[in-house]
Amino acid sequence: MSELVKVEIIDRIQIITINRPQARNAINYETAQELAAVLDQMDANEDVVIGILTGAEGTFSSGMDLKAFAQSGQRPLVEGRGFAGLCERPPRKPVIAAVEGYALAGGFEMALSCDMIVAANNANFGLPEVKRGIVAGAGGMMRLPSRIPYHIAMEAVLTGEMLPAARMHGYGLVNRLVEPGQALEVALELARIVAGNGPLAVQTAKKIVTESRDWRQADMFDLQRPRVAHIFASADAKEGATAFAEKRKPVWRGK
């Protein structure tokens, strides 16, 4: 790996930092490839339960590197994974976006691809693609209307104007609104709670929540049943119940 993406593991949490501050952490092709590789490593690492995605030096990400696109026409897409190696196929394990400064265009779409968002109260979100004659094709037009009220999503998509983090918190898009400079610290606090839970259960819970949005009500329990059967037969389920009875912390095996 180069210095485009930095990785640190703390308390079973993988912190992934986009490290192009000179370009406001814009995503070019090389950065997208590295992010995809890092996310694959996170999914494969049994010692990691959850990830945090953030940006270096006070900015989450300004989205696609427009200068690189203008020069080469190359878009920062990864086959089968989409923009930044994240937006079309997020990892199996949950990811928290820790947002400082700006999460714009593809940067906002990356945050929308995550499972929770912690944002500084002076941060801004936005989908300004229409101002450049393009559209938010990395999931923004599809995900945002299911996360916030329809008319507010249309305002963001059609005007391209920025929306303050405080307003997004009010709509429920942001889980934690924090003081500037505290997004990563609070994201770590939230991640530690998740990391203390059964890793197999955490992954299965994310899978069910994300997939079930497309299920018909009449079919939902039939579809859920085979997806959760292994959980109740797992060693972790037995350990969780035993630890509760013995009034101690469980020792998870992820099996």
Side-chain angles (χ1 to χ4, degrees):
M1 290 294 166
S2 72
E3 291 295 298
L4 294 173
V5 179
K6 292 188 173 182
V7 175
E8 182 180 9
I9 296 176
I10 301 174
D11 299 334
R12 310 192 77 186
I13 302 159
Q14 181 164 310
I15 303 171
I16 303 164
T17 304
I18 305 163
N19 189 40
R20 300 189 72 222
Q22 75 285 357
R24 293 197 301 170
N25 297 320
I27 308 298
N28 60 8
Y29 181 77
E30 293 76 16
T31 305
Q33 295 296 319
E34 290 199 15
L35 278 168
V38 165
L39 291 168
D40 283 342
Q41 290 170 4
M42 182 183 77
D43 269 347
N45 189 343
E46 293 183 359
D47 293 326
V48 170
V49 178
I50 185 170
I52 295 174
L53 179 64
T54 193
E57 298 187 21
T59 294
F60 184 73
S61 174
S62 57
M64 181 172 72
D65 189 328
L66 290 176
K67 289 183 180 179
F69 174 69
Q71 291 169 1
S72 68
Q74 191 174 53
R75 297 170 64 193
L77 305 177
V78 177
E79 186 174 356
R81 303 288 292 267
F83 180 82
L86 169 66
C87 291
E88 290 185 26
R89 184 166 64 83
R92 290 184 294 106
K93 295 177 181 178
V95 180
I96 301 172
V99 178
E100 298 277 356
Y102 297 96
L104 302 177
F108 190 10
E109 291 171 302
M110 291 166 68
L112 288 170
S113 301
C114 295
D115 303 289
M116 290 177 273
I117 300 175
V118 175
N121 57 25
N122 64 347
N124 283 282
F125 297 88
L127 297 172
E129 282 87 346
V130 289
K131 292 180 178 291
R132 303 290 179 261
I134 55 179
V135 292
M141 295 183 293
M142 297 179 287
R143 287 190 170 110
L144 192 59
S146 69
R147 312 287 174 82
I148 65 175
Y150 171 85
H151 292 101
I152 307 304
M154 289 298 280
E155 176 186 344
V157 170
L158 298 181
T159 69
E161 295 293 311
M162 290 189 292
L163 300 170
R167 188 177 180 191
M168 293 296 95
H169 181 257
Y171 293 130
L173 185 75
V174 172
N175 296 80
R176 303 281 192 277
L177 193 66
V178 303
E179 291 298 315
Q182 299 298 306
L184 179 56
E185 180 181 334
V186 175
L188 271 166
E189 292 174 1
L190 188 57
R192 284 189 176 103
I193 297 172
V194 177
N197 298 329
L200 192 62
V202 166
Q203 288 182 49
T204 301
K206 172 177 174 172
K207 181 179 176 66
I208 297 299
V209 170
T210 55
E211 290 182 354
S212 64
R213 287 177 294 183
D214 298 324
W215 295 352
R216 293 193 318 140
Q217 186 173 358
D219 301 329
M220 61 185 185
F221 280 99
D222 288 335
L223 291 168
Q224 176 182 261
R225 197 170 291 111
R227 290 168 168 82
V228 301
H230 69 292
I231 290 293
F232 293 96
S234 69
D236 275 0
K238 183 176 181 180
E239 168 62 9
T242 302
F244 176 79
E246 295 177 354
K247 298 181 180 180
R248 60 172 174 82
K249 287 186 177 181
V251 179
W252 305 118
R253 296 171 55 194
K255 298 179 182 179

